[in-house]
Amino acid sequence: MKALVYLGPGKKALQDCPTPEIAASTDAIVRLTKTTICGTDLHILKGDVPTCTPGRILGHEGVGVIDSVGSGVTAFKVGDRVLISCITACGKCEYCRKQMYSHCTTGGWILGNKIDGTQAEFVRIPHADTSLYPIPEGADEEALVMLSDILPTGFECGVLNGKVAPGNTVAIVGAGPIGLASLLTAQFFAPAEIIMVDLDDNRLEVAKRFGATATVNSTDGKAAEAVMALTGGRGVDTAIEAVGIPATFELCEQIIAPGGVIANVGVHGVKVDLHLENLWDRNITITTRLVDTASTPMLLNIVKSNKFDAKQLITHRFKLDTILDAYETFGHAADTHALKVIIEA
Protein backbone atom coordinates (compact mmCIF):
# COMPACT_ATOMS: atom_id res chain seq x y z
CA MET A 1 0.00 0.00 0.00
CA LYS A 2 1.01 3.66 -0.36
CA ALA A 3 1.78 5.55 2.85
CA LEU A 4 3.48 8.76 4.00
CA VAL A 5 6.53 7.75 6.07
CA TYR A 6 8.51 9.87 8.54
CA LEU A 7 12.22 9.41 7.84
CA GLY A 8 13.67 11.64 10.55
CA PRO A 9 13.59 15.40 11.28
CA GLY A 10 12.76 17.29 8.12
CA LYS A 11 12.41 14.10 6.04
CA LYS A 12 9.34 12.27 4.73
CA ALA A 13 8.40 10.24 1.68
CA LEU A 14 5.45 8.52 0.04
CA GLN A 15 6.45 4.87 0.01
CA ASP A 16 5.15 1.38 -0.66
CA CYS A 17 4.57 -0.28 2.72
CA PRO A 18 3.14 -3.62 3.87
CA THR A 19 -0.61 -3.60 4.35
CA PRO A 20 -1.33 -3.91 8.11
CA GLU A 21 -2.76 -7.11 9.51
CA ILE A 22 -4.76 -8.02 12.62
CA ALA A 23 -2.31 -8.30 15.52
CA ALA A 24 -4.76 -8.68 18.44
CA SER A 25 -8.33 -9.91 18.74
CA THR A 26 -9.55 -6.38 19.46
CA ASP A 27 -7.99 -4.87 16.29
CA ALA A 28 -9.73 -3.66 13.16
CA ILE A 29 -8.16 -2.88 9.80
CA VAL A 30 -9.71 0.21 8.23
CA ARG A 31 -9.45 1.11 4.57
CA LEU A 32 -9.04 4.88 4.58
CA THR A 33 -11.30 6.98 2.39
CA LYS A 34 -10.26 10.41 3.70
CA THR A 35 -7.54 11.65 6.01
CA THR A 36 -5.79 14.95 6.75
CA ILE A 37 -2.63 16.57 8.08
CA CYS A 38 -2.36 17.96 11.61
CA GLY A 39 -0.09 20.64 13.02
CA THR A 40 1.25 17.88 15.25
CA ASP A 41 2.57 16.13 12.14
CA LEU A 42 4.59 19.27 11.43
CA HIS A 43 5.91 19.17 15.01
CA ILE A 44 6.99 15.56 14.42
CA LEU A 45 8.81 16.59 11.26
CA LYS A 46 10.61 19.31 13.24
CA GLY A 47 11.80 16.67 15.71
CA ASP A 48 9.60 17.91 18.58
CA VAL A 49 8.03 14.48 19.31
CA PRO A 50 10.80 11.99 20.21
CA THR A 51 8.32 9.12 20.68
CA CYS A 52 7.80 9.12 16.91
CA THR A 53 10.78 7.38 15.36
CA PRO A 54 11.94 7.21 11.73
CA GLY A 55 10.04 4.67 9.64
CA ARG A 56 6.67 5.53 11.16
CA ILE A 57 3.62 6.11 8.95
CA LEU A 58 2.22 9.48 10.00
CA GLY A 59 -1.37 10.58 10.57
CA HIS A 60 -3.97 10.17 13.32
CA GLU A 61 -7.17 11.42 11.70
CA GLY A 62 -9.55 10.02 9.12
CA VAL A 63 -12.64 8.14 8.08
CA GLY A 64 -12.89 4.83 6.28
CA VAL A 65 -14.49 1.43 5.88
CA ILE A 66 -13.86 -1.64 8.03
CA ASP A 67 -11.82 -4.11 5.97
CA SER A 68 -11.37 -6.82 8.62
CA VAL A 69 -11.90 -7.28 12.36
CA GLY A 70 -10.39 -9.41 15.09
CA SER A 71 -12.43 -12.05 16.86
CA GLY A 72 -12.89 -9.82 19.90
CA VAL A 73 -14.47 -6.90 18.04
CA THR A 74 -18.22 -6.81 18.68
CA ALA A 75 -19.33 -3.28 17.80
CA PHE A 76 -18.24 -3.25 14.14
CA LYS A 77 -18.28 -5.56 11.14
CA VAL A 78 -16.66 -5.62 7.72
CA GLY A 79 -18.12 -2.90 5.51
CA ASP A 80 -19.07 -0.49 8.30
CA ARG A 81 -18.15 3.17 7.69
CA VAL A 82 -16.27 4.57 10.66
CA LEU A 83 -14.74 7.71 12.12
CA ILE A 84 -11.24 7.14 13.52
CA SER A 85 -10.46 8.82 16.82
CA CYS A 86 -6.97 10.27 17.15
CA ILE A 87 -6.90 8.69 20.62
CA THR A 88 -6.91 4.91 21.12
CA ALA A 89 -8.69 3.79 24.28
CA CYS A 90 -9.05 0.35 25.88
CA GLY A 91 -11.98 1.61 27.98
CA LYS A 92 -10.91 -0.51 30.97
CA CYS A 93 -7.71 0.83 32.51
CA GLU A 94 -7.52 3.28 35.42
CA TYR A 95 -7.16 6.30 33.15
CA CYS A 96 -9.93 5.27 30.77
CA ARG A 97 -12.28 4.90 33.73
CA LYS A 98 -11.51 8.55 34.54
CA GLN A 99 -12.23 9.46 30.87
CA MET A 100 -8.54 10.34 30.50
CA TYR A 101 -8.33 8.28 27.33
CA SER A 102 -5.20 10.11 26.19
CA HIS A 103 -3.34 8.33 29.00
CA CYS A 104 -4.76 4.85 28.32
CA THR A 105 -2.09 2.40 29.44
CA THR A 106 -2.26 0.47 26.15
CA GLY A 107 -3.40 3.30 23.89
CA GLY A 108 -3.55 7.07 24.06
CA TRP A 109 -2.06 9.03 21.20
CA ILE A 110 -0.30 6.18 19.45
CA LEU A 111 -1.57 6.47 15.85
CA GLY A 112 1.09 8.10 13.71
CA ASN A 113 3.27 8.37 16.79
CA LYS A 114 4.07 5.00 18.37
CA ILE A 115 2.29 2.84 15.77
CA ASP A 116 1.62 3.39 12.08
CA GLY A 117 -1.02 5.98 11.32
CA THR A 118 -3.71 7.05 8.89
CA GLN A 119 -1.88 8.78 6.04
CA ALA A 120 -2.06 5.52 4.14
CA GLU A 121 -4.47 3.29 2.26
CA PHE A 122 -5.05 1.06 5.32
CA VAL A 123 -4.50 1.43 9.07
CA ARG A 124 -4.67 -0.96 12.02
CA ILE A 125 -6.83 0.34 14.87
CA PRO A 126 -6.24 -1.28 18.28
CA HIS A 127 -9.17 -1.43 20.73
CA ALA A 128 -11.49 -0.91 17.78
CA ASP A 129 -14.74 -1.11 19.77
CA THR A 130 -13.77 1.95 21.85
CA SER A 131 -11.59 3.82 19.33
CA LEU A 132 -13.94 4.02 16.34
CA TYR A 133 -17.35 5.65 15.84
CA PRO A 134 -20.02 4.54 13.35
CA ILE A 135 -20.74 7.03 10.57
CA PRO A 136 -24.48 7.58 10.18
CA GLU A 137 -26.09 7.22 6.77
CA GLY A 138 -25.89 10.40 4.73
CA ALA A 139 -23.23 12.06 6.92
CA ASP A 140 -20.59 14.17 5.19
CA GLU A 141 -17.29 12.29 5.53
CA GLU A 142 -15.17 15.39 4.98
CA ALA A 143 -16.88 17.19 7.86
CA LEU A 144 -16.43 14.17 10.11
CA VAL A 145 -12.66 14.13 9.55
CA MET A 146 -12.64 17.34 11.61
CA LEU A 147 -13.99 15.28 14.53
CA SER A 148 -11.00 12.93 14.59
CA ASP A 149 -8.84 15.52 16.34
CA ILE A 150 -9.08 19.28 15.89
CA LEU A 151 -12.65 19.90 17.07
CA PRO A 152 -12.39 17.78 20.24
CA THR A 153 -8.89 19.18 20.84
CA GLY A 154 -9.98 22.80 20.55
CA PHE A 155 -13.07 22.10 22.65
CA GLU A 156 -11.55 19.98 25.41
CA CYS A 157 -8.06 21.45 25.77
CA GLY A 158 -9.05 25.03 25.02
CA VAL A 159 -12.69 25.69 25.81
CA LEU A 160 -13.45 23.19 28.59
CA ASN A 161 -10.04 23.45 30.27
CA GLY A 162 -10.21 27.22 29.85
CA LYS A 163 -13.55 27.30 31.69
CA VAL A 164 -15.14 29.51 29.05
CA ALA A 165 -18.44 30.79 30.45
CA PRO A 166 -21.33 33.04 29.39
CA GLY A 167 -20.34 36.68 29.37
CA ASN A 168 -16.62 36.03 29.68
CA THR A 169 -13.84 37.55 27.61
CA VAL A 170 -11.67 35.03 25.75
CA ALA A 171 -8.42 35.48 23.83
CA ILE A 172 -7.25 32.74 21.49
CA VAL A 173 -3.59 33.09 20.55
CA GLY A 174 -3.11 31.39 17.20
CA ALA A 175 -5.69 31.37 14.40
CA GLY A 176 -4.61 28.09 12.83
CA PRO A 177 -6.98 25.12 12.61
CA ILE A 178 -6.84 24.36 16.36
CA GLY A 179 -7.32 27.99 17.31
CA LEU A 180 -10.26 28.26 14.93
CA ALA A 181 -11.72 25.03 16.32
CA SER A 182 -11.47 26.61 19.78
CA LEU A 183 -13.18 29.73 18.43
CA LEU A 184 -16.07 27.76 16.92
CA THR A 185 -16.68 25.60 20.00
CA ALA A 186 -16.21 28.46 22.49
CA GLN A 187 -19.39 29.92 21.09
CA PHE A 188 -21.35 27.01 22.62
CA PHE A 189 -20.93 28.91 25.92
CA ALA A 190 -21.82 32.44 24.73
CA PRO A 191 -18.75 34.42 25.83
CA ALA A 192 -19.20 38.17 25.46
CA GLU A 193 -15.94 38.67 23.57
CA ILE A 194 -13.57 36.43 21.65
CA ILE A 195 -10.31 38.09 20.62
CA MET A 196 -8.17 36.24 18.06
CA VAL A 197 -4.43 36.93 17.91
CA ASP A 198 -2.24 35.89 14.98
CA LEU A 199 0.47 37.08 12.60
CA ASP A 200 -1.59 36.31 9.49
CA ASP A 201 -4.23 38.79 8.34
CA ASN A 202 -5.93 36.17 6.17
CA ARG A 203 -6.48 33.86 9.14
CA LEU A 204 -7.71 36.80 11.21
CA GLU A 205 -10.27 37.54 8.48
CA VAL A 206 -11.36 33.90 8.63
CA ALA A 207 -11.65 34.23 12.42
CA LYS A 208 -14.00 37.20 11.99
CA ARG A 209 -16.20 35.12 9.68
CA PHE A 210 -16.17 32.33 12.25
CA GLY A 211 -17.38 34.60 15.05
CA ALA A 212 -14.43 36.48 16.57
CA THR A 213 -15.53 39.83 18.00
CA ALA A 214 -12.06 41.38 17.61
CA THR A 215 -8.72 40.49 16.05
CA VAL A 216 -5.14 41.51 16.79
CA ASN A 217 -2.22 41.15 14.40
CA SER A 218 0.81 40.48 16.59
CA THR A 219 3.46 41.21 13.97
CA ASP A 220 4.50 44.48 15.65
CA GLY A 221 5.17 42.79 18.99
CA LYS A 222 2.47 44.87 20.70
CA ALA A 223 -0.28 42.27 20.93
CA ALA A 224 -0.40 42.39 24.74
CA GLU A 225 -0.97 46.14 24.71
CA ALA A 226 -3.69 45.76 22.07
CA VAL A 227 -5.54 43.06 24.03
CA MET A 228 -5.30 45.06 27.24
CA ALA A 229 -6.71 48.10 25.42
CA LEU A 230 -9.61 46.02 24.09
CA THR A 231 -10.42 44.86 27.64
CA GLY A 232 -10.11 48.25 29.34
CA GLY A 233 -6.82 47.28 30.94
CA ARG A 234 -8.32 44.28 32.73
CA GLY A 235 -7.15 41.38 30.58
CA VAL A 236 -9.10 38.28 29.56
CA ASP A 237 -10.87 35.65 31.63
CA THR A 238 -9.55 32.84 29.42
CA ALA A 239 -6.39 32.82 27.32
CA ILE A 240 -6.09 29.84 24.99
CA GLU A 241 -2.58 29.11 23.70
CA ALA A 242 -3.00 27.39 20.32
CA VAL A 243 0.46 27.62 18.75
CA GLY A 244 3.07 25.87 20.90
CA ILE A 245 6.01 28.30 21.02
CA PRO A 246 7.45 30.30 23.94
CA ALA A 247 6.35 33.71 22.62
CA THR A 248 2.66 32.78 22.42
CA PHE A 249 2.55 31.20 25.88
CA GLU A 250 4.27 34.24 27.37
CA LEU A 251 1.71 36.46 25.63
CA CYS A 252 -1.04 34.51 27.41
CA GLU A 253 0.74 35.22 30.70
CA GLN A 254 0.74 38.93 29.90
CA ILE A 255 -2.96 39.25 29.02
CA ILE A 256 -4.64 37.06 31.62
CA ALA A 257 -6.90 38.84 34.11
CA PRO A 258 -6.83 38.15 37.85
CA GLY A 259 -8.73 34.93 38.48
CA GLY A 260 -8.37 33.87 34.85
CA VAL A 261 -7.37 30.61 33.19
CA ILE A 262 -4.53 30.00 30.73
CA ALA A 263 -5.41 26.88 28.74
CA ASN A 264 -2.46 25.48 26.84
CA VAL A 265 -3.33 23.57 23.67
CA GLY A 266 -0.13 23.93 21.64
CA VAL A 267 2.53 21.22 21.34
CA HIS A 268 5.69 22.65 22.89
CA GLY A 269 9.06 21.36 21.74
CA VAL A 270 11.27 23.72 23.79
CA LYS A 271 11.15 25.20 27.27
CA VAL A 272 8.88 28.13 28.08
CA ASP A 273 9.40 30.68 30.84
CA LEU A 274 6.77 30.85 33.56
CA HIS A 275 6.81 34.38 34.97
CA LEU A 276 5.72 33.73 38.52
CA GLU A 277 7.30 37.03 39.52
CA ASN A 278 4.29 38.62 37.77
CA LEU A 279 1.65 35.95 38.34
CA TRP A 280 2.15 34.66 41.89
CA ASP A 281 -0.61 36.87 43.35
CA ARG A 282 -3.11 36.92 40.49
CA ASN A 283 -5.23 33.83 41.33
CA ILE A 284 -4.75 32.35 37.88
CA THR A 285 -4.99 28.74 36.77
CA ILE A 286 -2.78 27.17 34.10
CA THR A 287 -4.06 23.99 32.46
CA THR A 288 -2.42 21.46 30.16
CA ARG A 289 -4.05 18.56 28.39
CA LEU A 290 -3.78 16.07 25.60
CA VAL A 291 -7.15 15.63 23.95
CA ASP A 292 -9.13 12.69 25.36
CA THR A 293 -11.88 12.74 22.70
CA ALA A 294 -14.43 12.23 25.47
CA SER A 295 -16.49 14.96 23.76
CA THR A 296 -16.57 13.23 20.35
CA PRO A 297 -20.07 11.70 20.74
CA MET A 298 -21.50 15.10 21.67
CA LEU A 299 -19.71 16.86 18.80
CA LEU A 300 -20.83 14.11 16.42
CA ASN A 301 -24.44 14.75 17.38
CA ILE A 302 -24.03 18.49 16.83
CA VAL A 303 -22.48 17.97 13.39
CA LYS A 304 -25.20 15.44 12.46
CA SER A 305 -27.88 17.98 13.44
CA ASN A 306 -26.49 20.48 10.90
CA LYS A 307 -26.24 23.10 13.66
CA PHE A 308 -22.50 23.29 13.23
CA ASP A 309 -20.57 23.48 9.96
CA ALA A 310 -17.34 21.60 10.53
CA LYS A 311 -16.61 21.60 6.81
CA GLN A 312 -15.84 25.33 6.82
CA LEU A 313 -12.38 24.49 8.20
CA ILE A 314 -11.44 22.69 4.94
CA THR A 315 -9.65 24.76 2.32
CA HIS A 316 -7.75 22.30 0.08
CA ARG A 317 -8.19 18.77 -1.28
CA PHE A 318 -5.61 16.29 -2.56
CA LYS A 319 -5.24 12.63 -3.53
CA LEU A 320 -2.95 10.36 -1.49
CA ASP A 321 -0.57 10.23 -4.46
CA THR A 322 -0.02 13.98 -4.06
CA ILE A 323 0.29 14.05 -0.27
CA LEU A 324 3.73 15.67 -0.51
CA ASP A 325 2.04 18.59 -2.26
CA ALA A 326 -0.52 18.62 0.54
CA TYR A 327 2.26 18.91 3.12
CA GLU A 328 3.85 21.73 1.14
CA THR A 329 0.52 23.56 1.01
CA PHE A 330 -0.28 22.96 4.69
CA GLY A 331 3.22 23.84 5.85
CA HIS A 332 3.19 27.20 4.01
CA ALA A 333 -0.25 28.32 5.12
CA ALA A 334 0.70 32.00 5.18
CA ASP A 335 1.18 31.85 1.42
CA THR A 336 -1.44 29.24 0.49
CA HIS A 337 -4.14 30.32 2.99
CA ALA A 338 -4.54 26.67 3.97
CA LEU A 339 -6.49 25.61 7.03
CA LYS A 340 -7.35 21.91 6.90
CA VAL A 341 -6.54 19.81 3.85
CA ILE A 342 -8.48 16.70 2.90
CA ILE A 343 -6.50 13.80 1.44
CA GLU A 344 -8.53 11.21 -0.43
CA ALA A 345 -7.04 7.74 -0.15
Side-chain angles (χ1 to χ4, degrees):
M1 69 171 185
K2 296 287 187 183
L4 192 284
V5 181
Y6 171 60
L7 301 175
K11 299 176 183 178
K12 61 186 179 298
L14 183 65
Q15 296 184 347
D16 287 311
C17 299
T19 301
E21 298 178 350
I22 299 292
S25 64
T26 52
D27 289 349
I29 305 298
V30 176
R31 175 175 58 81
L32 270 297
T33 54
K34 290 180 173 64
T35 183
T36 186
I37 302 169
C38 180
T40 307
D41 297 322
L42 301 185
H43 278 283
I44 289 172
L45 288 166
K46 286 170 59 181
D48 289 346
V49 185
T51 50
C52 186
T53 54
R56 178 69 60 226
I57 296 172
L58 294 183
H60 49 266
E61 302 163 88
V63 297
V65 179
I66 298 285
D67 187 72
S68 60
V69 295
S71 60
V73 176
T74 60
F76 300 98
K77 65 183 184 305
V78 173
D80 285 349
R81 297 165 62 233
V82 291
L83 166 67
I84 299 168
S85 174
C86 66
I87 298 297
T88 301
C90 74
K92 299 175 182 178
C93 71
E94 176 185 359
Y95 292 112
C96 283
R97 288 182 177 274
K98 295 177 182 177
Q99 289 195 315
M100 290 175 60
Y101 305 123
S102 60
H103 293 275
C104 174
T105 56
T106 54
W109 174 40
I110 56 175
L111 282 175
N113 176 17
K114 298 178 181 180
I115 67 171
D116 287 337
T118 60
Q119 290 169 14
E121 293 180 274
F122 293 87
V123 64
R124 180 178 70 89
I125 304 296
H127 303 307
D129 279 345
T130 44
S131 303
L132 297 171
Y133 295 88
I135 293 179
E137 196 66 36
D140 189 313
E141 287 191 351
E142 288 191 351
L144 293 187
V145 174
M146 303 301 104
L147 271 70
S148 283
D149 183 354
I150 64 163
L151 283 171
T153 295
F155 183 57
E156 294 174 13
C157 304
V159 177
L160 294 183
N161 263 19
K163 295 181 171 57
V164 174
N168 277 6
T169 299
V170 179
I172 302 172
V173 181
I178 289 293
L180 292 171
S182 299
L183 166 63
L184 289 169
T185 55
Q187 294 170 70
F188 295 163
F189 295 95
E193 297 178 73
I194 307 178
I195 303 165
M196 292 294 293
V197 182
D198 201 276
L199 298 166
D200 187 331
D201 282 332
N202 175 69
R203 286 189 165 183
L204 292 174
E205 282 300 317
V206 173
K208 286 181 183 177
R209 294 203 308 269
F210 285 11
T213 57
T215 60
V216 172
N217 188 307
S218 54
T219 304
D220 61 3
K222 298 180 179 179
E225 292 93 324
V227 172
M228 295 305 283
L230 286 168
T231 58
R234 177 179 172 274
V236 298
D237 300 299
T238 299
I240 297 174
E241 198 289 326
V243 181
I245 61 172
T248 50
F249 188 86
E250 291 186 36
L251 174 58
C252 290
E253 296 180 59
Q254 294 166 12
I255 62 176
I256 196 68
V261 180
I262 297 173
N264 183 81
V265 187
V267 178
H268 290 270
V270 298
K271 72 178 183 69
V272 177
D273 290 332
L274 176 61
H275 291 283
L276 282 177
E277 73 277 13
N278 300 323
L279 300 174
W280 69 271
D281 63 345
R282 294 176 67 80
N283 295 53
I284 68 159
T285 300
I286 298 173
T287 66
T288 66
R289 185 172 181 173
L290 180 60
V291 63
D292 293 301
T293 65
S295 65
T296 300
M298 181 271 287
L299 292 170
L300 188 56
N301 284 335
I302 291 176
V303 170
K304 284 193 302 184
S305 72
N306 295 317
K307 294 181 179 178
F308 184 90
D309 183 11
K311 207 170 175 178
Q312 62 189 315
L313 290 159
I314 301 166
T315 55
H316 294 74
R317 291 165 177 83
F318 298 86
K319 300 288 188 180
L320 183 61
D321 285 345
T322 58
I323 192 171
L324 294 177
D325 294 333
Y327 264 92
E328 189 71 15
T329 299
F330 186 69
H332 295 87
D335 299 320
T336 62
H337 298 171
L339 292 175
K340 290 295 281 185
V341 300
I342 286 290
I343 299 160
E344 188 174 344

